[in-house]
Amino acid sequence: MSIFNNSEVQFFLLVGIPGLEHAHVWISIPICLMYTIAIMGNSTILFIVKTEPSLHEPMYYFIAMLAISDLGLSFSSLPTMLRIFLFNAMEISPNACFAQEFFIHGFTVMESSVLLVMSLDRFLAIHNPLRYTSLLTSNRVVKMGLILAIRSILLVLPFPFTLRRLKYCQKNLLSHSYCLHQDVMKLACSDNKSNVIYGFFVALSTMLDLTLIVLSYILILKIVLSIASLVERLKALNTCVSHICAVLIFYVPIITLASMHRFAQHKSPLTIILIADIFLLLPPLMNPIVYCVKTRQIREKVWGKLLTTCSRLEY
């Protein structure tokens, strides 16, 4: 029996890298390495923030939330990426596809929300440093984290249900190495207008986050320029560098991919697939590296744990 009423599609087909199918096993080596570094890096940040009392502050809690989002993105795309590049297994059942797109979109929205809250954190730290800790207490940070998680779930919860009610006839070839809402709904042979409208609404919500982040930094820049001392200006801006890098790493691939889908007349499937893979691989890989390199407290704690572990192994 088909999983859909009156449907002939029993499974969807994902894609690897067109024209390089013969090299998928070799391509899987750097992909596996990137996943390993991403999972270990984000897990390390979570462990350090949890075990070090000196890092129990709002900024580090938000970094931990970002690490959770990155781990979620990694684990959401990992199964299909490894099946494709290690075993050339392209098939995915509709229910598994809908579940994957729910988690990918959910953690994407969560990461966007966390980046927005982190920009608010930087604004408060620079605008009112004396009241920073009293404004962002641990209880408030926990409540903000719960609100972000609930927002992410509620925004993308309709996706799998609206996709499941669609009818899929002959077409079953997707455009990426994982399932996305906008990709799956294009295969439907029934009316998908509600999917298009709601998907556009979720995309606008993500772009609203980016707009508010930009607005936060305009306000931050205004405050920084009002500081008389050049040294103090640079010191204030330096606290924002890690977050700016995280924002660029996350949003540049999304905007590039959306622009290519919307405006490019002669779209290269290979380019689109590579950018889509970068969108899921790059943030989880780079965020822990950026925060370890640029955040002295985290860097020192990580090195301290590594040296302690090495010294124990020697004995």
Side-chain angles (χ1 to χ4, degrees):
M1 287 182 64
S2 171
I3 198 163
F4 303 104
N5 295 329
N6 303 318
S7 172
E8 297 179 10
V9 170
Q10 300 293 323
F11 56 84
F12 294 120
L13 290 175
L14 300 167
V15 296
I17 299 180
L20 294 176
E21 288 83 1
H22 61 283
H24 274 180
V25 174
W26 295 107
I27 296 171
S28 70
I29 296 174
I31 289 177
C32 289
L33 183 62
M34 284 189 283
Y35 272 116
T36 302
I37 295 172
I39 292 169
M40 288 181 63
N42 287 292
S43 299
T44 299
I45 285 182
L46 286 176
F47 175 74
I48 293 295
V49 172
K50 183 179 184 298
T51 57
E52 290 294 335
S54 62
L55 299 183
H56 292 175
E57 296 178 5
M59 183 179 78
Y60 304 108
Y61 288 141
F62 291 133
I63 293 174
M65 291 180 196
L66 191 66
I68 292 172
S69 303
D70 285 333
L71 283 172
L73 280 175
S74 294
F75 285 120
S76 297
S77 60
L78 181 63
T80 53
M81 293 282 275
L82 291 187
R83 287 179 70 245
I84 289 170
F85 290 102
L86 279 177
F87 308 108
N88 276 323
M90 308 295 183
E91 300 88 357
I92 184 170
S93 70
N95 283 339
C97 187
F98 300 157
Q100 184 183 51
E101 61 87 24
F102 168 76
F103 285 110
I104 287 177
H105 286 295
F107 284 111
T108 299
V109 172
M110 184 174 176
E111 181 138 349
S112 176
S113 303
V114 172
L115 290 172
L116 171 59
V117 174
M118 291 176 81
S119 69
L120 173 64
D121 169 75
R122 292 299 83 211
F123 171 73
L124 290 175
I126 293 172
H127 176 64
N128 205 337
L130 296 179
R131 294 189 60 201
Y132 171 70
T133 52
S134 63
L135 289 171
L136 283 178
T137 62
S138 296
N139 286 335
R140 285 177 180 170
V141 171
V142 170
K143 289 177 182 177
M144 291 170 75
L146 289 174
I147 291 171
L148 296 182
I150 293 170
R151 179 205 183 218
S152 303
I153 293 171
L154 291 180
L155 265 179
V156 302
L157 189 59
F159 277 172
F161 298 105
T162 55
L163 287 175
R164 187 165 185 171
R165 71 170 182 79
L166 296 176
K167 182 180 178 182
Y168 302 87
C169 301
Q170 298 294 332
K171 296 189 295 183
N172 68 342
L173 181 62
L174 297 169
S175 306
H176 304 299
S177 306
Y178 47 84
C179 294
L180 293 176
H181 174 262
Q182 62 268 31
D183 203 17
V184 177
M185 71 177 183
K186 290 178 181 177
L187 300 181
C189 55
S190 57
D191 182 25
N192 64 357
K193 187 176 180 180
S194 60
N195 296 73
V196 173
I197 293 171
Y198 190 73
F200 183 67
F201 169 72
V202 174
L204 278 181
S205 300
T206 306
M207 289 301 103
L208 178 61
D209 291 346
L210 178 59
T211 303
L212 294 174
I213 290 170
V214 172
L215 179 61
S216 297
Y217 273 101
I218 291 173
L219 295 175
I220 288 171
L221 190 60
K222 184 178 178 181
I223 295 168
V224 169
L225 292 176
S226 67
I227 299 173
S229 171
L230 178 60
V231 175
E232 291 301 318
R233 287 183 191 178
L234 295 175
K235 185 178 178 181
L237 287 175
N238 190 52
T239 63
C240 302
V241 171
S242 299
H243 180 254
I244 292 172
C245 290
V247 169
L248 293 175
I249 289 167
F250 179 74
Y251 280 106
V252 168
I254 292 179
I255 294 172
T256 303
L257 192 62
S259 300
M260 289 186 67
H261 275 295
R262 178 66 182 85
F263 300 111
Q265 295 182 351
H266 305 288
K267 295 178 286 189
S268 166
L270 177 60
T271 304
I272 290 176
I273 289 170
L274 288 176
I275 294 174
D277 289 344
I278 288 171
F279 156 63
L280 279 191
L281 289 170
L282 198 61
L285 174 69
M286 293 304 300
N287 283 340
I289 294 173
V290 168
Y291 277 100
C292 283
V293 170
K294 290 299 298 178
T295 309
R296 179 180 56 82
Q297 293 86 342
I298 293 178
R299 183 174 66 250
E300 289 177 353
K301 298 300 180 183
V302 170
W303 279 114
K305 292 287 185 184
L306 288 174
L307 293 174
T308 302
T309 303
C310 291
S311 63
R312 286 177 181 174
L313 291 174
E314 287 178 359
Y315 290 106

